[in-house]
Amino acid sequence: MSEAAMEEFRDRTRVDAPLKVAGLAPYAYEHELEDTLFLAPVLATIAKGRITAIDEAAARAVPGVRLVLTHANAPRIAPTLPTLTVLRKPRVRYRGEIVAAVVAQTPEAARYAASLVAITYAPDEADTRPDPEAEDVREVRRVMAIYPGRHSEGDVDTALATSAHRVEATYATPTNHHNPIEPHTITALWHPGTSRLSGPGTTRVTLWDSNQGVLAPQGVVAGAFGLLPTQVEVISPYVGGSFGTKGAPHPHTMATVMAAKLLPGHPVKVALTRPQMFAGTGYRPETVQRVALAADADGRLTAIDHEVYAPVSRVIPWMDPSAGPSLSMYASAARRIGYRTQDLDIAPGTFMRAPGEYTGMFALETAMDELAHAAGIDPIELRLRNEPETDPESGKPWSSRHVPTCLTEGARIFGFEQQHGGRHEGEWWIGQGVACASFPQMSMGPSLARITFTGGRYVVSMQASDIGTGAWTVLAQIGAQALGVPEDVVEARIGTSDAPMAIIAGGSTGTFGWGSAVIEAAQAFRAEHGSDPAEGATARARTRMPAGVRGVTRMAFGAHFAEVAVSEVSGQVRVRRMYGHFDGGRIMNPRTARSQLIGGMTMGISGALFEESYRDPRFGHVVNGDLAGYHIASHADVVDLEVGWVGEPDPWMGATGAKGIGEVGIVGVPAAISNAVFDATGVRVRELPFTPGRVLEAWEALG
């Protein structure tokens, strides 16, 4: 596709919007199927121990109950992910683990019967209390299996000891739970009349599932139940949000498929409640981070030292790479990062929007603001002075990096001007803050796309998933541009396992990875069929990245600007306005891009001001595990948000030239708000969220 054609991408309304507004877009729970049964899970009420007895009599007596599923009658499955090994043994590994399930003819009967299942436990001593100073805290070799647990270059200690300016502080972030508008839900149908000897193309199990990509549930279920992937059909056209929690199957998936296997011919359906989601579908782990920065008299960094502590589950030791930004964001002759963790008897964490960058950039960018204040340098100027010419971690050149433009143009548009506590309106003290953002542009492997001409229309097919990001719209746009035809004669067909394989919607890789495959398929289509294709003409191709892409570092960047008002009476922090300027490569659709970036900033405001999960260390459960106790931002908290972008294509991002923008929008938000609070009041609050109590406590300590 020519450069001129690519420049024609324009604002387009989401093609799925009318269906969603009218309530006609079928989500996983909403597919109408005959003879449907409903499953209700039973969750463990201890943090660790053994099941010694299960009394099912009362549950089985409830009218409409068809099955009580326990470890005694659950189908045996092959070894799979540790999180998914449910109902195999009479054991409990964390509070909220699925230890039984009831299937009934109505959801009400299933829930009531589940409440009657009486389980007797032999509890073991459980450790659920995080403690960075505990004796069992250990160093980490690898984080997320791909990042180094330790990295050091240069003489950090000498630089810190001899620097003209030095700041050192500890920053803390809490456990956060995903709360997409659509809960975790799945419907599983085990088709009767099939057997292990059925042909490889014979569908044995159909899943209507809410996920970030059909490939994961298809592969996991097939492997666990001794099937070929082609025997597991997954249908997932519409997903009501995820933020990482639907990136991989969870225990309820396995329990539902087990029940469906025991009840062939009956679709078995479950939608988890909010408390059930808080119990066992992942979360962002809490962190305690120590950051020390050293700089010379001109404010140029001479050392960055970043140590992260986070507790993990014994089931899967999930830990975010929070020190990652300290390896690549700024130039420094010496740098050191390290991770420490503690194994606890708690549920496993998982991906949550911008895993690592969100928590790590809060610490790093707050520390940078503290350094700017200590050195008497404008916070934007300090960042500009420490711009790295190449990737500090690897030494590779950047694919593109426009951080200076994001900072300077963003400051101009926002009208950035700090007052250092000199402005107030009655009880409200007004301040402004700035923070940078970055997110790596990783590769999760190639995707395949197929283009077929049928009925006078071009159909773009692939297993891509639209989790609210606009994939239905953007993929059709990319196909239309690449084919050189009007947008209204191209449609996408996504979210189903019978389409060509595609990577999941995660890691900000969807649009550029899927889009590259669509462009390649369009070019193959034109080469094979010309501009006047016959009915049924088709072509397919895979994602292609430029030769030599491993020799560059690819990242999306941005700068956040926040203005806050802080009450000297209550300690309440209100975000009055916020602006983000981003380096996201070519913008494929301004409307959906703005939606993604505004959504990320909104989620950042919510995390900065409200979100915090409290785990009771005595019993191991989240005590505010519902939307009544776990506070999120409301409309009144999100007043004036706007975004802009550089818009320059990145030649190393494949045929689209687009970078991922789904996560970079959240990254710098808490630090920008924190720095604005300091500008308004002189108070440093180094722990999220910035609740009135924490602000007042810090203010009183300041005197």
Short mmCIF file of all heavy atoms in Angstrom, two decimals, residues 167-173 289 291 293 306 330 358-374 379 382-383 434-436 667-678 683-688 690:
data_model
loop_
_atom_site.label_atom_id
_atom_site.label_comp_id
_atom_site.label_asym_id
_atom_site.label_seq_id
_atom_site.Cartn_x
_atom_site.Cartn_y
_atom_site.Cartn_z
N VAL A 167 18.30 12.00 45.48
CA VAL A 167 17.02 11.76 46.15
C VAL A 167 16.85 10.26 46.33
O VAL A 167 17.29 9.47 45.49
CB VAL A 167 15.82 12.34 45.37
CG1 VAL A 167 15.90 13.85 45.28
CG2 VAL A 167 15.72 11.73 43.98
N GLU A 168 16.24 9.88 47.40
CA GLU A 168 15.97 8.47 47.66
C GLU A 168 14.69 8.37 48.47
O GLU A 168 14.52 9.10 49.46
CB GLU A 168 17.12 7.81 48.43
CG GLU A 168 16.89 6.33 48.70
CD GLU A 168 18.12 5.65 49.32
OE1 GLU A 168 19.17 6.31 49.44
OE2 GLU A 168 18.01 4.47 49.70
N ALA A 169 13.77 7.52 48.03
CA ALA A 169 12.49 7.39 48.72
C ALA A 169 11.89 6.03 48.41
O ALA A 169 12.31 5.33 47.49
CB ALA A 169 11.54 8.50 48.30
N THR A 170 10.89 5.68 49.21
CA THR A 170 10.15 4.44 49.03
C THR A 170 8.74 4.76 48.58
O THR A 170 8.08 5.65 49.14
CB THR A 170 10.12 3.63 50.33
OG1 THR A 170 11.46 3.28 50.70
CG2 THR A 170 9.31 2.35 50.16
N TYR A 171 8.28 4.05 47.57
CA TYR A 171 6.96 4.27 46.98
C TYR A 171 6.19 2.96 47.05
O TYR A 171 6.76 1.87 46.90
CB TYR A 171 7.09 4.73 45.53
CG TYR A 171 8.00 5.93 45.37
CD1 TYR A 171 9.38 5.77 45.18
CD2 TYR A 171 7.50 7.22 45.44
CE1 TYR A 171 10.21 6.86 45.06
CE2 TYR A 171 8.33 8.33 45.31
CZ TYR A 171 9.70 8.14 45.13
OH TYR A 171 10.53 9.23 45.02
N ALA A 172 4.89 3.05 47.27
CA ALA A 172 4.07 1.84 47.43
C ALA A 172 2.83 1.93 46.55
O ALA A 172 2.22 2.99 46.41
CB ALA A 172 3.66 1.67 48.89
N THR A 173 2.50 0.80 45.96
CA THR A 173 1.25 0.69 45.19
C THR A 173 0.47 -0.50 45.72
O THR A 173 1.05 -1.52 46.10
CB THR A 173 1.53 0.49 43.69
OG1 THR A 173 2.22 -0.75 43.48
CG2 THR A 173 2.39 1.63 43.15
N GLN A 289 8.57 -0.07 46.45
CA GLN A 289 9.70 0.22 45.57
C GLN A 289 10.59 1.29 46.19
O GLN A 289 10.10 2.34 46.61
CB GLN A 289 9.21 0.71 44.21
CG GLN A 289 8.25 -0.24 43.52
CD GLN A 289 7.70 0.36 42.24
OE1 GLN A 289 8.43 0.71 41.31
NE2 GLN A 289 6.38 0.49 42.17
N VAL A 291 13.55 3.83 45.22
CA VAL A 291 14.22 4.45 44.08
C VAL A 291 15.20 5.50 44.59
O VAL A 291 14.84 6.34 45.43
CB VAL A 291 13.21 5.11 43.11
CG1 VAL A 291 13.95 5.84 41.99
CG2 VAL A 291 12.27 4.06 42.54
N LEU A 293 18.04 8.31 42.98
CA LEU A 293 18.57 8.96 41.80
C LEU A 293 19.72 9.88 42.19
O LEU A 293 19.64 10.58 43.21
CB LEU A 293 17.49 9.80 41.10
CG LEU A 293 16.21 9.09 40.65
CD1 LEU A 293 15.25 10.10 40.03
CD2 LEU A 293 16.52 7.97 39.67
N HIS A 306 16.90 1.08 41.52
CA HIS A 306 15.47 0.79 41.66
C HIS A 306 15.30 -0.64 42.13
O HIS A 306 15.66 -1.60 41.44
CB HIS A 306 14.78 0.97 40.30
CG HIS A 306 13.28 1.00 40.36
ND1 HIS A 306 12.51 1.49 39.32
CD2 HIS A 306 12.40 0.62 41.33
CE1 HIS A 306 11.23 1.39 39.66
NE2 HIS A 306 11.14 0.86 40.86
N TYR A 330 15.66 6.88 30.84
CA TYR A 330 16.58 8.02 30.89
C TYR A 330 18.03 7.58 30.76
O TYR A 330 18.39 6.47 31.14
CB TYR A 330 16.38 8.80 32.19
CG TYR A 330 15.01 9.41 32.33
CD1 TYR A 330 14.12 8.95 33.30
CD2 TYR A 330 14.60 10.43 31.48
CE1 TYR A 330 12.85 9.49 33.43
CE2 TYR A 330 13.32 10.98 31.59
CZ TYR A 330 12.46 10.51 32.56
OH TYR A 330 11.20 11.04 32.67
N TYR A 358 2.99 0.68 34.80
CA TYR A 358 2.08 1.50 35.59
C TYR A 358 2.62 1.73 37.00
O TYR A 358 2.66 2.86 37.49
CB TYR A 358 0.71 0.82 35.63
CG TYR A 358 -0.28 1.46 36.58
CD1 TYR A 358 -0.99 2.60 36.21
CD2 TYR A 358 -0.52 0.91 37.84
CE1 TYR A 358 -1.91 3.18 37.08
CE2 TYR A 358 -1.44 1.48 38.71
CZ TYR A 358 -2.13 2.61 38.33
OH TYR A 358 -3.03 3.18 39.18
N THR A 359 3.04 0.65 37.65
CA THR A 359 3.55 0.80 39.02
C THR A 359 4.95 1.38 39.03
O THR A 359 5.28 2.24 39.85
CB THR A 359 3.55 -0.57 39.71
OG1 THR A 359 4.18 -1.54 38.86
CG2 THR A 359 2.14 -1.03 40.02
N GLY A 360 5.81 0.92 38.11
CA GLY A 360 7.20 1.37 38.10
C GLY A 360 7.36 2.82 37.72
O GLY A 360 8.20 3.54 38.27
N MET A 361 6.56 3.29 36.77
CA MET A 361 6.68 4.68 36.34
C MET A 361 6.14 5.63 37.41
O MET A 361 6.59 6.77 37.50
CB MET A 361 5.96 4.90 35.02
CG MET A 361 6.40 6.15 34.28
SD MET A 361 8.12 6.11 33.73
CE MET A 361 7.92 5.41 32.11
N PHE A 362 5.20 5.17 38.23
CA PHE A 362 4.77 6.00 39.36
C PHE A 362 5.95 6.30 40.25
O PHE A 362 6.18 7.46 40.65
CB PHE A 362 3.67 5.31 40.15
CG PHE A 362 3.43 5.91 41.52
CD1 PHE A 362 2.98 7.21 41.64
CD2 PHE A 362 3.68 5.19 42.68
CE1 PHE A 362 2.78 7.79 42.89
CE2 PHE A 362 3.48 5.74 43.93
CZ PHE A 362 3.02 7.05 44.04
N ALA A 363 6.75 5.27 40.57
CA ALA A 363 7.90 5.48 41.44
C ALA A 363 8.97 6.32 40.74
O ALA A 363 9.48 7.30 41.30
CB ALA A 363 8.48 4.13 41.86
N LEU A 364 9.33 5.96 39.51
CA LEU A 364 10.41 6.65 38.82
C LEU A 364 10.07 8.11 38.53
O LEU A 364 10.89 9.02 38.77
CB LEU A 364 10.73 5.93 37.51
CG LEU A 364 11.80 6.58 36.62
CD1 LEU A 364 13.14 6.62 37.34
CD2 LEU A 364 11.92 5.85 35.29
N GLU A 365 8.85 8.37 38.03
CA GLU A 365 8.50 9.73 37.64
C GLU A 365 8.21 10.62 38.85
O GLU A 365 8.40 11.85 38.77
CB GLU A 365 7.30 9.71 36.69
CG GLU A 365 7.65 9.25 35.30
CD GLU A 365 8.66 10.19 34.63
OE1 GLU A 365 8.28 11.30 34.22
OE2 GLU A 365 9.84 9.81 34.52
N THR A 366 7.80 10.05 39.95
CA THR A 366 7.70 10.85 41.17
C THR A 366 9.10 11.19 41.68
O THR A 366 9.36 12.33 42.10
CB THR A 366 6.91 10.10 42.25
OG1 THR A 366 5.64 9.70 41.73
CG2 THR A 366 6.68 10.98 43.47
N ALA A 367 10.01 10.22 41.61
CA ALA A 367 11.40 10.48 42.01
C ALA A 367 12.04 11.54 41.12
O ALA A 367 12.81 12.39 41.60
CB ALA A 367 12.20 9.19 41.96
N MET A 368 11.74 11.53 39.83
CA MET A 368 12.28 12.55 38.92
C MET A 368 11.77 13.93 39.31
O MET A 368 12.52 14.93 39.24
CB MET A 368 11.91 12.23 37.48
CG MET A 368 12.71 11.09 36.85
SD MET A 368 14.47 11.52 36.60
CE MET A 368 14.35 12.65 35.21
N ASP A 369 10.52 14.01 39.72
CA ASP A 369 9.99 15.30 40.16
C ASP A 369 10.66 15.75 41.45
O ASP A 369 10.96 16.94 41.63
CB ASP A 369 8.47 15.19 40.36
CG ASP A 369 7.80 16.55 40.40
OD1 ASP A 369 7.70 17.18 39.33
OD2 ASP A 369 7.39 16.98 41.50
N GLU A 370 10.93 14.81 42.34
CA GLU A 370 11.64 15.14 43.57
C GLU A 370 13.05 15.62 43.26
O GLU A 370 13.57 16.55 43.90
CB GLU A 370 11.66 13.92 44.50
CG GLU A 370 10.27 13.47 44.94
CD GLU A 370 10.29 12.58 46.16
OE1 GLU A 370 11.01 12.91 47.12
OE2 GLU A 370 9.58 11.56 46.15
N LEU A 371 13.70 15.00 42.28
CA LEU A 371 15.03 15.44 41.88
C LEU A 371 14.99 16.84 41.27
O LEU A 371 15.86 17.68 41.56
CB LEU A 371 15.63 14.45 40.88
CG LEU A 371 17.03 14.77 40.36
CD1 LEU A 371 18.05 14.78 41.50
CD2 LEU A 371 17.45 13.77 39.28
N ALA A 372 13.98 17.11 40.44
CA ALA A 372 13.85 18.44 39.85
C ALA A 372 13.71 19.50 40.94
O ALA A 372 14.33 20.57 40.87
CB ALA A 372 12.65 18.47 38.91
N HIS A 373 12.91 19.20 41.95
CA HIS A 373 12.72 20.15 43.04
C HIS A 373 14.01 20.34 43.84
O HIS A 373 14.40 21.47 44.17
CB HIS A 373 11.60 19.65 43.96
CG HIS A 373 11.33 20.54 45.12
ND1 HIS A 373 10.69 21.75 45.00
CD2 HIS A 373 11.62 20.41 46.45
CE1 HIS A 373 10.59 22.33 46.19
NE2 HIS A 373 11.15 21.52 47.08
N ALA A 374 14.70 19.22 44.12
CA ALA A 374 15.94 19.31 44.90
C ALA A 374 17.03 20.07 44.15
O ALA A 374 17.83 20.80 44.76
CB ALA A 374 16.43 17.91 45.24
N PRO A 379 10.86 20.70 35.86
CA PRO A 379 10.71 19.25 35.68
C PRO A 379 10.73 18.79 34.22
O PRO A 379 11.18 17.67 33.94
CB PRO A 379 9.36 18.94 36.34
CG PRO A 379 8.64 20.25 36.38
CD PRO A 379 9.69 21.30 36.54
N LEU A 382 14.47 19.03 33.18
CA LEU A 382 15.23 17.92 33.74
C LEU A 382 15.09 16.67 32.87
O LEU A 382 16.08 15.98 32.58
CB LEU A 382 14.76 17.61 35.16
CG LEU A 382 15.46 16.43 35.84
CD1 LEU A 382 16.90 16.80 36.20
CD2 LEU A 382 14.70 15.96 37.08
N ARG A 383 13.90 16.39 32.44
CA ARG A 383 13.68 15.21 31.61
C ARG A 383 14.34 15.37 30.24
O ARG A 383 14.92 14.42 29.71
CB ARG A 383 12.17 14.95 31.48
CG ARG A 383 11.55 14.44 32.79
CD ARG A 383 10.03 14.45 32.76
NE ARG A 383 9.46 13.78 33.93
CZ ARG A 383 9.30 14.34 35.11
NH1 ARG A 383 9.66 15.62 35.30
NH2 ARG A 383 8.79 13.66 36.13
N VAL A 434 3.62 16.95 35.93
CA VAL A 434 3.94 16.32 34.66
C VAL A 434 4.62 14.99 34.94
O VAL A 434 5.30 14.82 35.96
CB VAL A 434 4.84 17.23 33.79
CG1 VAL A 434 6.18 17.50 34.49
CG2 VAL A 434 5.09 16.61 32.42
N ALA A 435 4.44 14.04 34.04
CA ALA A 435 5.14 12.76 34.12
C ALA A 435 5.19 12.15 32.73
O ALA A 435 4.28 12.34 31.92
CB ALA A 435 4.43 11.80 35.08
N CYS A 436 6.25 11.43 32.47
CA CYS A 436 6.39 10.73 31.19
C CYS A 436 5.77 9.34 31.27
O CYS A 436 5.48 8.83 32.36
CB CYS A 436 7.87 10.62 30.80
SG CYS A 436 8.58 12.17 30.21
N VAL A 667 -0.01 4.89 31.94
CA VAL A 667 1.26 4.69 32.63
C VAL A 667 1.67 5.85 33.54
O VAL A 667 2.00 5.66 34.70
CB VAL A 667 2.37 4.38 31.61
CG1 VAL A 667 3.74 4.36 32.29
CG2 VAL A 667 2.11 3.05 30.92
N GLY A 668 1.68 7.06 33.02
CA GLY A 668 2.21 8.17 33.80
C GLY A 668 1.20 8.94 34.61
O GLY A 668 1.55 9.93 35.28
N VAL A 669 -0.05 8.50 34.59
CA VAL A 669 -1.12 9.28 35.22
C VAL A 669 -0.93 9.45 36.73
O VAL A 669 -0.98 10.58 37.24
CB VAL A 669 -2.49 8.67 34.89
CG1 VAL A 669 -3.59 9.39 35.68
CG2 VAL A 669 -2.76 8.75 33.41
N PRO A 670 -0.72 8.38 37.51
CA PRO A 670 -0.58 8.60 38.96
C PRO A 670 0.57 9.51 39.33
O PRO A 670 0.45 10.33 40.26
CB PRO A 670 -0.37 7.18 39.50
CG PRO A 670 -1.00 6.29 38.50
CD PRO A 670 -0.72 6.94 37.17
N ALA A 671 1.70 9.40 38.62
CA ALA A 671 2.83 10.27 38.94
C ALA A 671 2.52 11.72 38.61
O ALA A 671 2.90 12.63 39.37
CB ALA A 671 4.08 9.81 38.19
N ALA A 672 1.86 11.98 37.49
CA ALA A 672 1.51 13.36 37.15
C ALA A 672 0.59 13.96 38.21
O ALA A 672 0.75 15.13 38.61
CB ALA A 672 0.83 13.40 35.78
N ILE A 673 -0.36 13.17 38.71
CA ILE A 673 -1.26 13.65 39.76
C ILE A 673 -0.48 13.86 41.06
O ILE A 673 -0.66 14.87 41.76
CB ILE A 673 -2.42 12.66 39.95
CG1 ILE A 673 -3.29 12.63 38.69
CG2 ILE A 673 -3.25 13.03 41.17
CD1 ILE A 673 -4.36 11.56 38.70
N SER A 674 0.38 12.90 41.39
CA SER A 674 1.20 13.04 42.60
C SER A 674 2.04 14.31 42.56
O SER A 674 2.14 15.05 43.54
CB SER A 674 2.11 11.81 42.74
OG SER A 674 3.08 12.00 43.75
N ASN A 675 2.65 14.57 41.41
CA ASN A 675 3.50 15.74 41.28
C ASN A 675 2.68 17.03 41.32
O ASN A 675 3.17 18.06 41.80
CB ASN A 675 4.31 15.64 39.99
CG ASN A 675 5.25 14.44 40.00
OD1 ASN A 675 5.62 13.95 41.06
ND2 ASN A 675 5.61 13.95 38.83
N ALA A 676 1.45 16.97 40.84
CA ALA A 676 0.57 18.14 40.94
C ALA A 676 0.15 18.39 42.38
O ALA A 676 0.04 19.54 42.82
CB ALA A 676 -0.66 17.93 40.05
N VAL A 677 -0.09 17.32 43.13
CA VAL A 677 -0.42 17.47 44.55
C VAL A 677 0.73 18.16 45.29
O VAL A 677 0.52 19.06 46.12
CB VAL A 677 -0.74 16.10 45.19
CG1 VAL A 677 -0.82 16.21 46.71
CG2 VAL A 677 -2.04 15.54 44.63
N PHE A 678 1.95 17.77 44.96
CA PHE A 678 3.11 18.41 45.59
C PHE A 678 3.20 19.88 45.20
O PHE A 678 3.49 20.75 46.04
CB PHE A 678 4.39 17.69 45.18
CG PHE A 678 5.64 18.34 45.73
CD1 PHE A 678 6.02 18.14 47.05
CD2 PHE A 678 6.41 19.18 44.94
CE1 PHE A 678 7.14 18.76 47.56
CE2 PHE A 678 7.54 19.80 45.44
CZ PHE A 678 7.91 19.59 46.76
N VAL A 683 3.25 18.76 49.69
CA VAL A 683 3.14 17.46 50.33
C VAL A 683 3.46 16.36 49.32
O VAL A 683 2.92 16.35 48.22
CB VAL A 683 1.71 17.25 50.88
CG1 VAL A 683 1.51 15.82 51.35
CG2 VAL A 683 1.42 18.23 51.99
N ARG A 684 4.35 15.45 49.73
CA ARG A 684 4.64 14.28 48.91
C ARG A 684 3.87 13.09 49.46
O ARG A 684 4.08 12.68 50.60
CB ARG A 684 6.14 13.94 48.93
CG ARG A 684 7.02 14.82 48.10
CD ARG A 684 6.90 14.52 46.63
NE ARG A 684 7.75 15.43 45.85
CZ ARG A 684 7.60 15.69 44.57
NH1 ARG A 684 6.63 15.09 43.90
NH2 ARG A 684 8.41 16.53 43.95
N VAL A 685 3.01 12.53 48.63
CA VAL A 685 2.30 11.31 48.99
C VAL A 685 2.87 10.22 48.10
O VAL A 685 2.66 10.22 46.89
CB VAL A 685 0.79 11.45 48.81
CG1 VAL A 685 0.08 10.19 49.31
CG2 VAL A 685 0.27 12.67 49.54
N ARG A 686 3.59 9.29 48.70
CA ARG A 686 4.33 8.29 47.92
C ARG A 686 3.64 6.93 47.91
O ARG A 686 4.27 5.94 47.58
CB ARG A 686 5.76 8.17 48.47
CG ARG A 686 6.55 9.48 48.42
CD ARG A 686 7.99 9.28 48.88
NE ARG A 686 8.76 10.52 48.81
CZ ARG A 686 8.94 11.35 49.82
NH1 ARG A 686 8.39 11.07 51.00
NH2 ARG A 686 9.64 12.45 49.67
N GLU A 687 2.39 6.90 48.29
CA GLU A 687 1.65 5.64 48.30
C GLU A 687 0.31 5.83 47.62
O GLU A 687 -0.44 6.76 47.94
CB GLU A 687 1.45 5.16 49.74
CG GLU A 687 0.71 3.83 49.84
CD GLU A 687 0.58 3.33 51.27
OE1 GLU A 687 1.04 4.04 52.20
OE2 GLU A 687 0.03 2.23 51.47
N LEU A 688 0.00 4.96 46.67
CA LEU A 688 -1.30 4.98 46.01
C LEU A 688 -2.30 4.19 46.85
O LEU A 688 -1.93 3.22 47.52
CB LEU A 688 -1.19 4.33 44.62
CG LEU A 688 -0.34 5.03 43.57
CD1 LEU A 688 -0.37 4.22 42.27
CD2 LEU A 688 -0.82 6.44 43.32
N PHE A 690 -4.21 8.18 46.50
CA PHE A 690 -4.09 9.42 47.28
C PHE A 690 -5.43 9.71 47.97
O PHE A 690 -6.18 10.60 47.58
CB PHE A 690 -3.71 10.58 46.36
CG PHE A 690 -2.51 10.29 45.49
CD1 PHE A 690 -2.53 10.57 44.14
CD2 PHE A 690 -1.37 9.72 46.03
CE1 PHE A 690 -1.43 10.30 43.34
CE2 PHE A 690 -0.25 9.44 45.24
CZ PHE A 690 -0.29 9.73 43.89
#
